[in-house]
Every structure is written in C-alpha cells, then in structure tokens.
Amino acid sequence: MQKTLRFVTGNPHKYKEVKAVIQKNFPNFEVLQSNVKLLEIQADSLEEVALFKVNSVKNLVKIPYFIEDAGFFVDDVCKGFPGVYSSYVMKTIGYYGILKILDDSTTRKAHFESVIAYLDEDENVHLFKGINYGKVSIEARGNSGFGFDPIFISDETPGKTFAELNLEEKNQISHRRRSLDKLVEFLKKFDDSQKKI
Ligand code: ITT
C-alpha cells in the first residue's frame, strides 16, 4: 500500500540522506520534506530535544511524521560539547572553532548521535537512536555532506572524513542510518506489502 511519510526538517542534506534509506526499504513509500520551523530548546539530551520538536509541530504537519535531532560530541577534552548545542556552535564558531579548541591535542575522540522521534497515526511518539564513534581530524577535509562532516573521521572508515565519503558511503554507517534502521524495522511491522503470505 502506498504510504506518505513526512520528515520535518529545514536541512535539505538530512532529507536527502533519510529519503535514500527509507525508499530503499519501502519503494511504495513517499517521503516528503516538511519545512515547518523547528525550535531548538536547551535540554540535557537529544531525546528531550527530539520529544519537544516532535510535539511542537503537532497539528501543523499531517501524521504520520517524524523529526530527527542530531549532535556532534567531542568526548574527553570537551566532555561531550557541543552535543545538544551543536546547532548553535555550528552557527557561531563552526567546525573551525572545534579544531581550534582541540589544537594539536592527541586526545581527539568524538561521536555523532541521532535521535528520531516518530509520531504514528494514533499520535504516539516512538524514539530511535543511532551512534557512530570516531575522532576529530587534524584539519578539515572533503566537500560532501554538511555540518561537522569535514572534521569527523569514523572508526569504521579510517583516513577519511565523513565529508570525503559520498552520500551512499556515509549512509552505510552513519549515526542517522542507525537510527533510521530502527525506524525501518518498526515500520516494517505495520507494512502489509512486506508481509510474506
Ligand atoms: P533540523 O531542521 O532537522 O533541526 P538542523 O540542521 O538544525 O536541522 P540538527 O539540529 O539535527 O539539524 O543538527 C545540529 C547540528 O549538527 C547542525 O549544525 C548540523 O549541521 C549538525 N549535524 C547534524 N547531523 C550531522 C551530520 O550527519 N553530519 C555533520 N553535521 C551534522
């Protein structure tokens, strides 16, 4: 059965990554970008931000829909910063600011997290989380992707920043792919076209 899912985001790169994964799994699904303004709140976890965001657009977007909140966490040296403040940091000091903070530190562990909040037809919210671990590069490299991609090297693709991977390569391992895989598993339970007779 044809189904329409709305992904509420103002970020066209995120939409492209998400659409590719959903449509590969559900050729009968249409994924639309809903560009309704999402407010960024201050909270202690991505889950809290995601819950706020998904509820903030109720009645403005046709259900079922989902939002995704992602963050870049510089572990040890920055104790997880910018994390939930990633959007603000990106808009202010940018990834060059992060490189400056770390300077020539040999401790450069970092990770990306993604939390999807899906609002189903009965208006219940479901959360799905994905993580990718790696480190901050010494210098910015690559032109693909967006945000902090030029300074993140995943442990799974040593030597290459996320911005040096094409969309398909990033989509195989990214934090977003991992939260999406969980959403896909969840949606499969309710998609009749996937059921074997
Ligand atoms: P929304 O409209 O979906 O909220 P956004 O760009 O504000 O779009 P987030 O709040 O999820 O998205 O992201 C917080 C920041 O982290 C933002 O500056 C992004 O550019 C960055 N970011 C998110 N996902 C990323 C990824 O996969 N690679 C690099 N940077 C990413």
Side-chain angles (χ1 to χ4, degrees):
M1 197 179 64
Q2 165 90 22
K3 180 169 174 154
T4 301
L5 276 184
R6 287 181 167 76
F7 176 31
V8 187
T9 180
N11 185 327
H13 303 279
K14 276 168 66 166
Y15 172 63
K16 249 191 180 172
E17 292 181 8
V18 164
K19 190 178 171 187
V21 175
I22 300 273
Q23 290 205 316
K24 198 168 174 196
N25 283 280
F26 300 102
N28 56 324
F29 280 22
E30 178 185 36
V31 187
L32 299 180
Q33 179 180 5
S34 190
N35 200 345
V36 176
K37 180 96 187 103
L38 290 167
L39 288 179
E40 295 279 339
I41 55 153
Q42 272 195 349
D44 293 333
S45 68
L46 293 185
E47 283 86 347
E48 273 179 74
V49 179
L51 272 177
F52 175 84
K53 278 185 175 176
V54 80
N55 286 317
S56 73
V57 293
K58 256 188 188 173
N59 307 321
L60 296 176
V61 182
K62 217 167 162 209
I63 53 173
Y65 69 79
F66 61 99
I67 62 94
E68 188 242 10
D69 199 62
F72 182 58
F73 296 73
V74 181
D75 301 316
D76 312 324
V77 175
C78 295
K79 310 265 188 288
F81 181 83
V84 289
Y85 307 106
S86 294
S87 222
Y88 182 69
V89 167
M90 193 67 211
K91 276 185 224 141
T92 51
I93 59 173
Y95 59 71
Y96 280 109
I98 300 289
L99 289 180
K100 234 178 180 167
I101 292 168
L102 285 186
D103 195 18
D104 57 0
S105 169
T106 50
T107 315
R108 308 185 75 86
K109 271 194 193 161
H111 69 276
F112 270 116
E113 290 185 15
S114 155
V115 173
I116 289 175
Y118 173 74
L119 190 75
D120 69 18
E121 281 93 341
D122 299 320
E123 300 207 13
N124 295 313
V125 177
H126 306 269
L127 295 182
F128 307 97
K129 184 168 190 166
I131 301 183
N132 189 291
Y133 292 99
K135 63 177 182 192
V136 177
S137 59
I138 298 291
E139 56 185 7
R141 290 199 319 259
N143 301 311
S144 306
F146 64 98
F148 298 94
D149 282 346
I151 63 162
F152 179 70
I153 300 176
S154 166
D155 290 340
E156 292 156 71
T157 48
K160 277 191 175 181
T161 66
F162 261 7
E164 291 177 305
L165 305 177
N166 62 35
L167 186 139
E168 208 169 293
E169 290 166 333
K170 181 183 170 191
N171 251 355
Q172 301 226 335
I173 57 164
S174 78
H175 48 303
R176 182 161 300 108
R177 167 58 186 269
R178 289 180 176 150
S179 57
L180 275 170
D181 276 349
K182 292 178 186 169
L183 172 67
V184 164
E185 278 318 300
F186 175 80
L187 292 174
K188 275 186 181 165
K189 289 188 220 154
F190 305 100
D191 182 31
D192 292 338
S193 66
Q194 308 251 347
K195 288 197 180 116
K196 300 210 171 65
I197 303 161

